Amino acid sequence: HPDFFGQGLGSKLLNFAVQEQNCSLVDVNEENPQALAFYLHMGFNIAGRSEVDGNGKPHPLLFLQKD
């Protein structure tokens, strides 16, 4: 929710997922530049792309990977 942007909550949640759950892959909607910028800032890199989302809808996804 936008009221909570910039408070570090996303970073804390992502750090938990990476460190405690060994998460290294994330899919992000290419049409969401704010989310993409967040994940890139957090050390993820673009590893691939799809023209459609998981439901076959025309919402391009970027596949991100943390090295």
Side-chain angles (χ1 to χ4, degrees):
H1 191 276
D3 290 346
F4 297 98
F5 287 1
Q7 295 183 22
L9 299 173
S11 297
K12 287 180 184 179
L13 288 169
L14 184 59
N15 285 333
F16 174 81
V18 169
Q19 295 171 2
E20 302 296 328
Q21 302 297 313
N22 298 314
C23 174
S24 62
L25 303 172
V26 176
D27 296 349
V28 65
N29 187 319
E30 189 176 56
E31 298 166 330
N32 187 343
Q34 193 170 13
L36 177 58
F38 169 75
Y39 287 112
L40 294 176
H41 175 76
M42 296 300 292
F44 283 79
N45 297 300
I46 299 172
R49 184 179 186 278
S50 173
E51 288 288 331
V52 296
D53 65 12
N55 294 318
K57 304 283 184 182
H59 303 289
L61 292 179
L62 293 172
F63 308 118
L64 307 180
Q65 182 173 352
K66 188 166 180 72
D67 295 328

